Amino acid sequence: MKVSISNSLRIAAWSGAAASLMAVMAGCAAPQATNLNEELPFDQAVAHATDGLAGQTQKLPAFLAKVESRLNKRGVVLDPMLDAATGQQTAATVLLETRVTERLTTRFDQFEVLPFQSANLARAQYLLTGTMTRIDSGASNRKRALQINLALTELKSGNVVAQASAVAKDEGLDHTPLAYYRDSPVLVKDKVIEGYARTSVTPPGQRGDAFYLERIASATLINEATTLYNQERYVEALGQYRSALATPTGEQLRVLNGIYLTTFKLGRMGEAEQAFGRVVALGIAYNELGVKFLFNPGTTDFWSDSKVSGPYAMWLRQIAKEGTAAKVCMSVVGHTSKTGSEQSNDALSLQRANVIRQRLSGEAAALGARTKTVGMGFRQNIVGSSTDNAVDALDRRVEFKIIPCG
Protein backbone atom coordinates (compact mmCIF):
# COMPACT_ATOMS: atom_id res chain seq x y z
CA MET A 1 0.00 0.00 0.00
CA LYS A 2 1.27 3.44 -0.93
CA VAL A 3 0.81 6.34 1.42
CA SER A 4 1.38 9.83 0.10
CA ILE A 5 3.93 12.09 1.77
CA SER A 6 1.19 14.65 2.47
CA ASN A 7 -0.97 11.99 4.18
CA SER A 8 2.00 10.84 6.22
CA LEU A 9 2.64 14.38 7.34
CA ARG A 10 -1.00 14.81 8.30
CA ILE A 11 -0.96 11.55 10.29
CA ALA A 12 2.24 12.59 12.03
CA ALA A 13 0.83 16.04 12.79
CA TRP A 14 -2.39 14.53 14.14
CA SER A 15 -0.46 12.07 16.29
CA GLY A 16 1.69 14.87 17.65
CA ALA A 17 -1.33 17.02 18.42
CA ALA A 18 -3.09 14.11 20.07
CA ALA A 19 -0.04 13.37 22.15
CA SER A 20 0.20 17.03 23.17
CA LEU A 21 -3.48 17.08 24.10
CA MET A 22 -3.08 13.91 26.15
CA ALA A 23 -0.12 15.45 27.91
CA VAL A 24 -2.10 18.60 28.68
CA MET A 25 -5.02 16.56 29.97
CA ALA A 26 -2.72 14.39 32.06
CA GLY A 27 -1.21 17.51 33.56
CA CYS A 28 -4.66 18.93 34.15
CA ALA A 29 -6.03 15.78 35.77
CA ALA A 30 -4.82 16.66 39.23
CA PRO A 31 -4.04 20.34 39.89
CA GLN A 32 -2.04 21.12 43.00
CA ALA A 33 -3.97 22.13 46.10
CA THR A 34 -3.42 25.72 47.20
CA ASN A 35 -2.37 26.34 50.79
CA LEU A 36 -1.87 29.72 52.42
CA ASN A 37 -0.34 29.56 55.90
CA GLU A 38 -0.15 33.29 56.56
CA GLU A 39 -2.72 34.35 59.17
CA LEU A 40 -5.16 36.80 57.56
CA PRO A 41 -8.38 38.57 58.53
CA PHE A 42 -11.34 36.23 58.01
CA ASP A 43 -12.73 37.75 54.81
CA GLN A 44 -9.28 37.88 53.19
CA ALA A 45 -8.53 34.27 54.13
CA VAL A 46 -11.86 33.12 52.70
CA ALA A 47 -11.20 35.06 49.50
CA HIS A 48 -7.75 33.46 49.09
CA ALA A 49 -9.11 29.95 49.66
CA THR A 50 -12.04 30.47 47.27
CA ASP A 51 -9.83 31.97 44.57
CA GLY A 52 -7.39 29.10 44.96
CA LEU A 53 -10.17 26.57 44.60
CA ALA A 54 -11.59 28.25 41.50
CA GLY A 55 -8.12 28.78 40.03
CA GLN A 56 -7.42 25.06 40.07
CA THR A 57 -10.53 24.36 38.00
CA GLN A 58 -9.18 26.61 35.23
CA LYS A 59 -6.57 23.91 34.60
CA LEU A 60 -9.17 21.20 34.09
CA PRO A 61 -10.17 20.32 30.48
CA ALA A 62 -13.84 20.95 31.23
CA PHE A 63 -13.08 24.57 32.12
CA LEU A 64 -10.59 25.48 29.37
CA ALA A 65 -13.05 27.35 27.16
CA LYS A 66 -14.04 30.54 28.95
CA VAL A 67 -16.78 31.44 26.46
CA GLU A 68 -18.29 27.98 26.77
CA SER A 69 -18.17 28.14 30.55
CA ARG A 70 -20.16 31.37 30.58
CA LEU A 71 -22.86 29.82 28.40
CA ASN A 72 -22.87 26.43 30.09
CA LYS A 73 -22.26 27.01 33.78
CA ARG A 74 -21.09 24.16 35.98
CA GLY A 75 -23.65 23.36 38.65
CA VAL A 76 -22.30 23.11 42.20
CA VAL A 77 -24.26 21.93 45.25
CA LEU A 78 -22.98 23.11 48.61
CA ASP A 79 -23.35 20.74 51.55
CA PRO A 80 -23.53 23.18 54.52
CA MET A 81 -20.11 23.88 55.99
CA LEU A 82 -19.10 22.63 59.43
CA ASP A 83 -16.79 23.13 62.36
CA ALA A 84 -14.52 20.12 61.80
CA ALA A 85 -13.77 19.61 65.50
CA THR A 86 -17.38 19.50 66.70
CA GLY A 87 -19.27 18.55 63.53
CA GLN A 88 -21.59 21.49 64.22
CA GLN A 89 -22.99 24.26 62.08
CA THR A 90 -22.41 27.60 63.79
CA ALA A 91 -23.00 31.24 63.01
CA ALA A 92 -19.36 31.34 61.85
CA THR A 93 -19.70 28.37 59.48
CA VAL A 94 -22.83 29.95 57.97
CA LEU A 95 -20.80 33.12 57.39
CA LEU A 96 -18.06 31.04 55.77
CA GLU A 97 -20.37 29.41 53.25
CA THR A 98 -22.06 32.77 52.54
CA ARG A 99 -18.72 34.42 51.77
CA VAL A 100 -17.55 31.49 49.62
CA THR A 101 -20.81 31.42 47.66
CA GLU A 102 -20.79 35.17 47.08
CA ARG A 103 -17.22 35.12 45.77
CA LEU A 104 -17.73 32.10 43.54
CA THR A 105 -20.87 33.45 41.91
CA THR A 106 -19.74 37.06 41.47
CA ARG A 107 -16.13 36.54 40.34
CA PHE A 108 -16.14 33.24 38.46
CA ASP A 109 -18.46 32.86 35.47
CA GLN A 110 -18.19 29.09 35.25
CA PHE A 111 -20.04 28.33 38.51
CA GLU A 112 -23.71 28.18 39.42
CA VAL A 113 -24.22 27.35 43.10
CA LEU A 114 -27.44 25.37 43.54
CA PRO A 115 -29.41 24.70 46.74
CA PHE A 116 -28.43 21.48 48.51
CA GLN A 117 -31.53 19.54 47.49
CA SER A 118 -31.95 16.02 46.12
CA ALA A 119 -33.32 17.27 42.78
CA ASN A 120 -30.13 19.27 42.20
CA LEU A 121 -27.82 16.30 42.66
CA ALA A 122 -28.74 15.16 39.14
CA ARG A 123 -28.25 18.67 37.72
CA ALA A 124 -24.97 19.52 39.36
CA GLN A 125 -21.52 18.35 38.32
CA TYR A 126 -19.76 19.21 41.56
CA LEU A 127 -20.14 19.07 45.33
CA LEU A 128 -18.64 21.84 47.46
CA THR A 129 -17.67 21.12 51.07
CA GLY A 130 -15.90 23.28 53.61
CA THR A 131 -14.73 23.22 57.20
CA MET A 132 -13.14 25.49 59.76
CA THR A 133 -10.99 24.23 62.62
CA ARG A 134 -9.29 26.04 65.48
CA ILE A 135 -5.51 25.72 65.41
CA ASP A 136 -2.76 26.92 67.75
CA SER A 137 -1.62 30.38 66.68
CA GLY A 138 1.71 29.89 68.45
CA ALA A 139 1.19 32.74 70.91
CA SER A 140 -0.19 32.12 74.39
CA ASN A 141 -1.76 35.57 74.63
CA ARG A 142 -3.67 35.31 71.35
CA LYS A 143 -6.84 33.54 70.30
CA ARG A 144 -6.33 30.40 68.27
CA ALA A 145 -6.50 30.89 64.53
CA LEU A 146 -8.90 29.11 62.18
CA GLN A 147 -7.89 26.69 59.45
CA ILE A 148 -10.30 26.94 56.51
CA ASN A 149 -10.51 24.03 54.06
CA LEU A 150 -12.55 23.92 50.87
CA ALA A 151 -12.94 21.04 48.39
CA LEU A 152 -14.71 20.60 45.08
CA THR A 153 -15.66 16.99 44.31
CA GLU A 154 -17.01 15.61 41.05
CA LEU A 155 -20.32 13.98 41.89
CA LYS A 156 -20.19 11.36 39.14
CA SER A 157 -16.73 9.97 39.92
CA GLY A 158 -16.38 10.97 43.57
CA ASN A 159 -12.94 12.43 42.82
CA VAL A 160 -11.80 15.68 44.38
CA VAL A 161 -10.89 18.06 41.55
CA ALA A 162 -9.78 21.06 43.64
CA GLN A 163 -8.82 21.74 47.26
CA ALA A 164 -7.68 24.91 48.97
CA SER A 165 -6.92 26.07 52.49
CA ALA A 166 -6.11 29.29 54.31
CA VAL A 167 -5.61 30.48 57.88
CA ALA A 168 -7.93 33.13 59.32
CA LYS A 169 -7.76 35.23 62.46
CA ASP A 170 -10.54 34.38 64.88
CA GLU A 171 -11.64 37.95 65.43
CA GLY A 172 -15.24 39.10 65.67
CA LEU A 173 -16.67 35.70 64.75
CA ASP A 174 -19.68 34.14 66.45
CA HIS A 175 -19.17 30.43 67.12
CA THR A 176 -22.57 29.88 68.71
CA PRO A 177 -24.06 26.62 67.38
CA LEU A 178 -27.27 26.79 65.37
CA ALA A 179 -30.40 25.74 67.26
CA TYR A 180 -30.30 22.06 66.27
CA TYR A 181 -26.74 21.65 67.56
CA ARG A 182 -27.29 23.87 70.59
CA ASP A 183 -30.29 21.75 71.64
CA SER A 184 -28.69 18.42 70.80
CA PRO A 185 -28.06 16.19 73.83
CA VAL A 186 -25.20 14.37 72.10
CA LEU A 187 -22.11 15.01 70.06
CA VAL A 188 -23.30 14.29 66.50
CA LYS A 189 -19.85 13.89 64.96
CA ASP A 190 -20.21 10.39 63.53
CA LYS A 191 -18.59 8.55 60.59
CA VAL A 192 -20.58 10.64 58.08
CA ILE A 193 -19.39 13.95 59.55
CA GLU A 194 -15.83 12.64 59.83
CA GLY A 195 -16.05 11.64 56.15
CA TYR A 196 -17.24 15.14 55.24
CA ALA A 197 -14.24 16.62 57.05
CA ARG A 198 -11.82 14.20 55.36
CA THR A 199 -13.25 15.02 51.94
CA SER A 200 -12.67 18.73 52.59
CA VAL A 201 -8.91 18.14 53.00
CA THR A 202 -8.48 15.49 50.29
CA PRO A 203 -5.86 16.46 47.65
CA PRO A 204 -7.02 16.89 44.04
CA GLY A 205 -6.97 13.68 42.03
CA GLN A 206 -7.92 11.49 44.98
CA ARG A 207 -11.35 10.12 45.81
CA GLY A 208 -13.41 11.77 48.52
CA ASP A 209 -14.53 9.76 51.52
CA ALA A 210 -16.72 6.92 50.21
CA PHE A 211 -18.81 6.53 53.38
CA TYR A 212 -19.78 10.21 53.22
CA LEU A 213 -20.34 10.36 49.46
CA GLU A 214 -22.58 7.29 49.48
CA ARG A 215 -24.91 9.19 51.82
CA ILE A 216 -25.24 12.43 49.87
CA ALA A 217 -28.87 11.79 48.87
CA SER A 218 -29.98 11.32 52.48
CA ALA A 219 -27.82 14.30 53.49
CA THR A 220 -30.02 16.61 51.42
CA LEU A 221 -33.09 15.47 53.38
CA ILE A 222 -31.24 15.86 56.67
CA ASN A 223 -30.26 19.40 55.71
CA GLU A 224 -33.85 20.31 54.83
CA ALA A 225 -35.09 18.84 58.12
CA THR A 226 -32.45 20.67 60.15
CA THR A 227 -33.27 23.96 58.44
CA LEU A 228 -36.93 23.46 59.38
CA TYR A 229 -35.93 22.67 62.98
CA ASN A 230 -33.85 25.86 63.17
CA GLN A 231 -36.92 27.74 61.95
CA GLU A 232 -38.99 26.13 64.76
CA ARG A 233 -41.18 24.33 62.21
CA TYR A 234 -41.06 21.14 64.25
CA VAL A 235 -43.91 19.16 62.66
CA GLU A 236 -42.44 19.62 59.18
CA ALA A 237 -38.95 18.90 60.48
CA LEU A 238 -40.10 15.64 62.04
CA GLY A 239 -41.64 14.56 58.74
CA GLN A 240 -38.39 15.27 56.91
CA TYR A 241 -36.27 13.43 59.48
CA ARG A 242 -38.55 10.42 59.16
CA SER A 243 -38.26 10.61 55.37
CA ALA A 244 -34.48 10.64 55.73
CA LEU A 245 -34.63 7.65 58.09
CA ALA A 246 -36.63 5.71 55.49
CA THR A 247 -33.84 5.98 52.91
CA PRO A 248 -31.33 3.10 52.59
CA THR A 249 -28.57 5.17 54.23
CA GLY A 250 -30.76 7.17 56.59
CA GLU A 251 -29.96 5.53 59.91
CA GLN A 252 -27.52 8.19 61.04
CA LEU A 253 -26.92 9.91 64.35
CA ARG A 254 -28.07 13.28 62.95
CA VAL A 255 -31.39 11.74 61.87
CA LEU A 256 -32.18 9.87 65.09
CA ASN A 257 -31.11 12.89 67.11
CA GLY A 258 -33.38 15.08 64.98
CA ILE A 259 -36.35 12.80 65.65
CA TYR A 260 -35.62 13.01 69.37
CA LEU A 261 -35.34 16.81 69.32
CA THR A 262 -38.52 17.40 67.32
CA THR A 263 -40.68 14.97 69.30
CA PHE A 264 -39.38 16.51 72.51
CA LYS A 265 -40.22 20.02 71.27
CA LEU A 266 -43.70 18.80 70.31
CA GLY A 267 -44.24 17.39 73.80
CA ARG A 268 -44.46 13.79 72.60
CA MET A 269 -42.45 12.45 75.51
CA GLY A 270 -43.04 8.76 74.88
CA GLU A 271 -41.80 9.09 71.30
CA ALA A 272 -38.93 11.29 72.45
CA GLU A 273 -37.72 8.71 74.96
CA GLN A 274 -37.94 5.95 72.38
CA ALA A 275 -35.98 8.11 69.90
CA PHE A 276 -33.30 8.89 72.48
CA GLY A 277 -32.96 5.16 73.13
CA ARG A 278 -32.17 4.68 69.44
CA VAL A 279 -29.61 7.47 69.62
CA VAL A 280 -27.92 5.69 72.52
CA ALA A 281 -28.03 2.31 70.78
CA LEU A 282 -26.36 3.77 67.69
CA GLY A 283 -23.73 5.48 69.83
CA ILE A 284 -22.97 2.17 71.53
CA ALA A 285 -22.71 0.53 68.11
CA TYR A 286 -20.15 3.21 67.17
CA ASN A 287 -18.34 2.42 70.47
CA GLU A 288 -18.60 6.00 71.70
CA LEU A 289 -21.37 8.29 72.91
CA GLY A 290 -20.80 11.86 74.09
CA VAL A 291 -23.69 13.34 76.12
CA LYS A 292 -24.00 16.96 77.29
CA PHE A 293 -24.74 16.63 80.98
CA LEU A 294 -24.25 20.15 82.29
CA PHE A 295 -23.46 20.83 85.94
CA ASN A 296 -23.58 23.97 88.03
CA PRO A 297 -20.13 25.62 88.04
CA GLY A 298 -17.66 23.93 90.38
CA THR A 299 -20.20 21.34 91.63
CA THR A 300 -21.54 17.87 90.94
CA ASP A 301 -25.12 19.15 90.87
CA PHE A 302 -26.96 19.09 87.54
CA TRP A 303 -27.69 22.49 85.98
CA SER A 304 -30.38 24.21 88.03
CA ASP A 305 -32.57 25.27 85.10
CA SER A 306 -35.05 22.44 84.57
CA LYS A 307 -35.41 23.44 80.91
CA VAL A 308 -31.84 22.22 80.53
CA SER A 309 -31.56 19.38 83.04
CA GLY A 310 -35.18 18.19 82.99
CA PRO A 311 -34.56 15.36 80.47
CA TYR A 312 -31.43 14.06 82.25
CA ALA A 313 -33.28 11.36 84.23
CA MET A 314 -34.75 10.01 81.01
CA TRP A 315 -31.34 10.13 79.27
CA LEU A 316 -29.79 8.14 82.10
CA ARG A 317 -32.64 5.65 82.03
CA GLN A 318 -32.13 5.00 78.33
CA ILE A 319 -28.33 4.83 78.60
CA ALA A 320 -28.73 2.24 81.38
CA LYS A 321 -31.35 0.31 79.38
CA GLU A 322 -29.37 0.19 76.14
CA GLY A 323 -26.07 -0.47 77.90
CA THR A 324 -27.63 -3.42 79.73
CA ALA A 325 -29.27 -4.78 76.57
CA ALA A 326 -25.99 -4.60 74.65
CA LYS A 327 -24.12 -6.26 77.56
CA VAL A 328 -21.22 -3.88 77.11
CA CYS A 329 -18.66 -2.50 79.52
CA MET A 330 -18.22 1.26 79.56
CA SER A 331 -15.77 3.87 80.65
CA VAL A 332 -17.61 6.94 81.94
CA VAL A 333 -15.34 9.87 81.09
CA GLY A 334 -15.93 13.30 82.65
CA HIS A 335 -14.76 16.51 80.94
CA THR A 336 -14.63 20.17 81.97
CA SER A 337 -13.99 23.46 80.23
CA LYS A 338 -10.62 25.16 80.69
CA THR A 339 -11.73 27.61 83.39
CA GLY A 340 -9.76 26.96 86.59
CA SER A 341 -6.60 24.99 87.38
CA GLU A 342 -5.69 21.67 85.80
CA GLN A 343 -5.68 19.90 89.17
CA SER A 344 -9.12 21.16 90.23
CA ASN A 345 -10.63 20.31 86.86
CA ASP A 346 -9.19 16.80 86.91
CA ALA A 347 -10.77 16.21 90.32
CA LEU A 348 -14.09 17.80 89.35
CA SER A 349 -14.42 15.85 86.11
CA LEU A 350 -13.82 12.58 87.96
CA GLN A 351 -16.38 13.49 90.62
CA ARG A 352 -18.95 14.23 87.92
CA ALA A 353 -18.22 10.94 86.16
CA ASN A 354 -18.75 9.16 89.47
CA VAL A 355 -22.14 10.86 89.87
CA ILE A 356 -23.21 9.62 86.43
CA ARG A 357 -21.96 6.10 87.21
CA GLN A 358 -23.91 6.05 90.46
CA ARG A 359 -27.07 7.19 88.69
CA LEU A 360 -26.64 4.48 86.04
CA SER A 361 -26.13 1.83 88.71
CA GLY A 362 -29.34 3.02 90.32
CA GLU A 363 -31.16 2.41 87.04
CA ALA A 364 -29.48 -0.95 86.33
CA ALA A 365 -27.44 -2.53 89.12
CA ALA A 366 -25.62 -4.82 86.68
CA LEU A 367 -23.93 -1.80 85.09
CA GLY A 368 -22.08 -0.99 88.32
CA ALA A 369 -19.67 -3.85 87.79
CA ARG A 370 -19.30 -3.09 84.09
CA THR A 371 -18.42 0.59 84.30
CA LYS A 372 -15.39 2.53 85.43
CA THR A 373 -14.83 6.27 85.71
CA VAL A 374 -12.15 8.58 84.35
CA GLY A 375 -11.67 12.34 84.83
CA MET A 376 -10.04 14.06 81.85
CA GLY A 377 -10.36 17.65 83.08
CA PHE A 378 -9.90 19.97 80.11
CA ARG A 379 -7.23 17.89 78.32
CA GLN A 380 -9.66 16.71 75.62
CA ASN A 381 -11.53 19.95 74.98
CA ILE A 382 -13.21 19.97 71.58
CA VAL A 383 -13.90 23.70 71.42
CA GLY A 384 -11.49 25.12 73.97
CA SER A 385 -12.94 28.64 74.04
CA SER A 386 -13.26 28.73 77.88
CA THR A 387 -16.44 30.77 77.48
CA ASP A 388 -18.58 28.48 79.68
CA ASN A 389 -21.67 29.07 77.54
CA ALA A 390 -23.39 27.43 74.57
CA VAL A 391 -20.25 27.77 72.46
CA ASP A 392 -18.20 25.30 74.51
CA ALA A 393 -20.98 23.16 75.99
CA LEU A 394 -19.39 20.10 74.37
CA ASP A 395 -16.29 20.63 76.50
CA ARG A 396 -18.42 19.96 79.58
CA ARG A 397 -19.72 16.60 78.36
CA VAL A 398 -19.67 13.08 79.76
CA GLU A 399 -18.59 10.38 77.35
CA PHE A 400 -19.48 6.70 77.40
CA LYS A 401 -16.75 4.70 75.72
CA ILE A 402 -17.15 1.00 75.11
CA ILE A 403 -14.24 -0.98 76.60
CA PRO A 404 -13.35 -4.69 76.81
CA CYS A 405 -14.98 -6.48 79.73
CA GLY A 406 -12.87 -8.33 82.25
Side-chain angles (χ1 to χ4, degrees), residues 74-379:
R74 304 288 167 174
V76 178
V77 287
L78 191 161
D79 192 351
M81 297 181 180
L82 302 170
D83 182 306
T86 64
Q88 295 179 334
Q89 291 174 259
T90 68
T93 65
V94 171
L95 180 63
L96 172 63
E97 64 188 62
T98 299
R99 292 286 187 267
V100 171
T101 301
E102 288 173 348
R103 195 162 184 91
L104 276 180
T105 54
T106 59
R107 295 178 66 91
F108 301 97
D109 294 325
Q110 67 267 41
F111 295 111
E112 179 185 10
V113 179
L114 303 170
F116 190 55
Q117 298 170 351
S118 57
N120 289 329
L121 292 178
R123 290 180 55 200
Q125 287 81 34
Y126 299 102
L127 169 70
L128 175 61
T129 57
T131 62
M132 59 169 54
T133 314
R134 288 181 177 84
I135 57 175
D136 191 347
S137 64
S140 59
N141 61 341
R142 293 171 60 190
K143 295 179 85 172
R144 286 190 292 174
L146 296 169
Q147 177 83 37
I148 294 170
N149 284 292
L150 305 176
L152 200 64
T153 302
E154 186 179 50
L155 282 165
K156 186 175 181 179
S157 68
N159 292 327
V160 173
V161 298
Q163 196 280 331
S165 65
V167 179
K169 296 178 181 178
D170 188 4
E171 295 177 348
L173 297 175
D174 180 2
H175 295 284
T176 303
L178 300 191
Y180 169 90
Y181 298 93
R182 181 198 65 219
D183 296 345
S184 173
V186 299
L187 175 64
V188 294
K189 188 180 178 183
D190 60 7
K191 288 176 66 178
V192 181
I193 300 300
E194 290 171 351
Y196 178 109
R198 278 194 294 271
T199 299
S200 299
V201 298
T202 298
Q206 296 186 21
R207 182 170 170 77
D209 185 85
F211 193 85
Y212 160 65
L213 293 174
E214 287 165 1
R215 287 156 178 77
I216 284 296
S218 55
T220 61
L221 295 174
I222 297 169
N223 176 61
E224 291 169 13
T226 303
T227 298
L228 289 167
Y229 181 90
N230 292 335
Q231 295 171 347
E232 301 184 1
R233 296 162 63 182
Y234 301 126
V235 173
E236 296 165 87
L238 179 58
Q240 282 293 90
Y241 282 124
R242 285 177 170 161
S243 295
L245 184 61
T247 65
T249 57
E251 191 171 22
Q252 300 179 32
L253 197 55
R254 286 185 297 171
V255 176
L256 298 178
N257 186 59
I259 292 173
Y260 163 73
L261 288 173
T262 49
T263 51
F264 185 84
K265 287 288 188 181
L266 292 168
R268 303 177 186 178
M269 295 309 170
E271 292 178 56
E273 180 160 358
Q274 183 181 30
F276 189 79
R278 295 185 70 177
V279 170
V280 173
L282 191 60
I284 290 174
Y286 284 159
N287 294 327
E288 188 168 337
L289 177 70
V291 183
K292 293 189 294 188
F293 288 106
L294 300 185
F295 296 81
N296 288 327
T299 76
T300 57
D301 298 324
F302 286 143
W303 197 259
S304 299
D305 187 351
S306 61
K307 291 181 181 178
V308 174
S309 59
Y312 288 4
M314 180 268 283
W315 296 357
L316 288 162
R317 184 164 59 246
Q318 286 301 315
I319 293 168
K321 177 183 175 182
E322 296 298 333
T324 301
K327 297 181 180 179
V328 295
C329 294
M330 295 188 292
S331 177
V332 182
V333 186
H335 299 270
T336 67
S337 60
K338 205 170 183 179
T339 305
S341 70
E342 181 175 350
Q343 184 178 8
S344 63
N345 278 292
D346 285 350
L348 183 60
S349 61
L350 179 58
Q351 291 166 7
R352 289 173 173 174
N354 284 331
V355 167
I356 296 297
R357 180 175 182 248
Q358 291 167 6
R359 293 287 295 267
L360 288 177
S361 298
E363 294 288 344
L367 279 181
R370 299 211 306 268
T371 56
K372 68 175 186 178
T373 56
V374 179
M376 290 304 301
F378 52 70
R379 289 192 296 279

Side-chain angles (χ1 to χ4, degrees), residues 64-77:
L64 290 178
K66 288 187 177 181
V67 173
E68 188 272 341
S69 70
R70 290 191 184 99
L71 297 175
N72 185 22
K73 290 180 179 289
R74 304 288 167 174
V76 178
V77 287

